Amino acid sequence: MKLCLLLNVIDPKIGGVMIMGDRGTGKSTTVRSLVDLLPEIKVVAGDPYNSDPEDPEFMGVEVRERVIKGEQLQVVFSKINMVDLPLGATEDRVCGTIDIEKALTEGVKAFEPGLLAKANRGILYVDEVNLLDDHLVDVLLDSAASGWNTVEREGISISHPARFILIGSGNPEEGELRPQLLDRFGMHAQVGTVRDAELRVKIVEERARFDKNPKVFRDSYKAEQQNLQQQIASARSFLSSVQIDRNLKVKISKVCAELNVDGLRGDIVTNRAAKALAALKGRDKVSAEDIATVIPNCLRHRLRKDPLESIDSGLLVLEKFYEVFR
């Protein structure tokens, strides 16, 4: 689970993580703690969509017009945003709506950006994603697929960039996820309850230590956190130079084909995740070992469900991997 989250921060194009697991296994805690590790990015000052001053794909329409006019943009550094999507959110709050106050006082149609605007170039986190309303799921799918959010309301039509890392968590007992939503998540992590008594005691003790004095607890891990931050920052800058051999690419696609994975998303995500892992380890070439680490998380949720299958889908993927790569 932690590795999937780190790889997505290094390469947001992996397409997010779906974390499924039992109650009380620290899913939400882990995702929320990711905020501390997020690097800083360049944004246009005062822009509601966190527009990128250099990349037109991540620019809002107004910022793009200013660039075309040749205006000088004021640039600030800001931490990558993490936006929580509550289950009870309305569609207006998610997509954005008409600014009623401005319409009444100034008589102009103005747009009030929603959560998708805030999440552009950041992370959108949905806790209990399998309980999310169907119409909100459709909105998320649409934005996640196109990278843009279009609002058509009361005679106003506005589009803005909405490229975010989609992170969802849920408990499989509360219901399955729609297959088309599952397929939108780049990686899938399965979390189980720890069975080892010693480890459970350690978790309980750490929790008690945190409750007693949160500041001291955080300080005790400060050095490790900073190391990890630096590792992520250098991996992000180093990612573009990582290479993957053609014969490894062919083998990845062979695994996908033999597992009957629908579409080509599985192949693309596995390639990207393996590169991000190599960058995290500070290497410029992907090894078969890197692929073995990421491929179960990239493919396990893309396999066709067989009700008679007793083996975990992640193990199925690994078996096929060793068959092809041996």
Side-chain angles (χ1 to χ4, degrees):
M1 163 169 72
K2 283 158 83 173
L3 182 69
C4 291
L5 291 169
L6 290 180
L7 295 183
N8 269 283
V9 174
I10 292 166
D11 184 2
K13 286 191 171 144
I14 288 171
V17 194
M18 175 70 215
I19 302 164
M20 276 295 195
D22 309 332
R23 290 180 290 271
T25 42
K27 300 186 295 290
S28 314
T29 310
T30 310
V31 175
R32 293 200 168 101
S33 67
L34 191 65
V35 174
D36 272 355
L37 297 171
L38 296 177
E40 289 193 327
I41 49 171
K42 280 184 187 174
V43 295
V44 176
D47 183 68
Y49 312 119
N50 305 317
S51 291
D52 188 329
E54 286 146 19
D55 186 352
E57 270 195 22
F58 292 98
M59 278 181 195
V61 181
E62 291 133 20
V63 174
R64 198 179 293 180
E65 282 168 3
R66 281 165 62 192
V67 170
I68 292 167
K69 282 180 194 163
E71 276 184 43
Q72 193 65 40
L73 298 174
Q74 192 187 343
V75 176
V76 289
F77 278 91
S78 124
K79 241 187 163 24
I80 288 181
N81 241 348
M82 178 143 168
V83 179
D84 254 320
L85 180 69
L87 287 181
T90 61
E91 200 176 323
D92 279 4
R93 186 69 198 97
V94 176
C95 297
T97 182
I98 309 301
D99 190 335
I100 300 292
E101 194 182 335
K102 232 177 188 174
L104 293 175
T105 54
E106 298 170 30
V108 293
K109 287 178 186 169
F111 179 63
E112 175 86 28
L115 293 177
L116 290 178
K118 210 171 159 190
N120 185 38
R121 300 180 70 210
I123 292 172
L124 186 68
Y125 175 48
V126 191
D127 201 1
E128 308 293 354
V129 67
N130 40 354
L131 302 179
L132 197 63
D133 275 353
D134 265 1
H135 67 278
L136 282 185
V137 170
D138 296 337
V139 166
L140 282 187
L141 281 177
D142 192 32
S143 298
S146 63
W148 282 80
N149 172 39
T150 304
V151 180
E152 303 281 354
R153 295 265 154 83
E154 287 94 30
I156 206 168
S157 173
I158 279 190
S159 287
H160 68 79
R163 287 172 185 269
F164 45 80
I165 304 170
L166 187 58
I167 298 180
S169 64
N171 183 349
E173 289 172 11
E174 288 163 359
E176 286 295 315
L177 216 58
R178 281 165 49 181
Q180 60 269 50
L181 180 56
L182 251 185
D183 195 50
R184 279 274 175 259
F185 287 100
M187 301 177 88
H188 186 286
Q190 193 83 34
V191 190
T193 308
V194 179
R195 298 279 172 239
D196 177 18
E198 285 292 322
L199 199 51
R200 288 174 83 124
V201 169
K202 188 171 186 237
I203 294 168
V204 173
E205 284 172 349
E206 290 282 80
R207 176 65 216 231
R209 197 156 74 85
F210 175 78
D211 287 341
K212 194 174 171 189
N213 193 334
K215 192 175 183 311
V216 172
F217 180 85
R218 288 175 74 108
D219 287 347
S220 68
Y221 285 104
K222 206 169 190 173
E224 282 181 56
Q225 285 281 80
Q226 279 171 346
N227 282 346
L228 197 48
Q229 269 173 328
Q230 283 163 359
Q231 216 180 331
I232 290 170
S234 66
R236 275 172 72 102
S237 56
F238 187 60
L239 181 68
S240 54
S241 59
V242 177
Q243 298 297 321
I244 179 165
D245 283 344
R246 185 170 166 78
N247 68 326
L248 288 181
K249 287 183 188 171
V250 172
K251 283 180 174 174
I252 289 172
S253 291
K254 199 174 171 192
V255 173
C256 294
E258 290 190 13
L259 284 167
N260 283 332
V261 174
D262 288 341
L264 291 168
R265 259 192 208 123
D267 308 45
I268 294 168
V269 169
T270 309
N271 278 293
R272 280 189 179 143
K275 279 184 179 177
L277 181 58
L280 184 64
K281 289 180 175 174
R283 292 198 316 267
D284 62 351
K285 263 197 127 71
V286 173
S287 67
E289 199 181 298
D290 297 332
I291 298 166
T293 309
V294 299
I295 202 165
N297 301 92
C298 297
L299 299 183
R300 60 145 44 103
H301 56 301
R302 302 177 197 277
L303 303 189
R304 298 239 175 114
K305 282 271 186 291
D306 182 353
L308 303 174
E309 191 65 77
S310 57
I311 185 171
D312 175 55
S313 51
L315 290 174
L316 263 177
V317 174
L318 267 184
E319 275 180 10
K320 185 59 74 182
F321 170 84
Y322 286 121
E323 202 178 292
V324 172
F325 275 75
R326 66 162 183 258

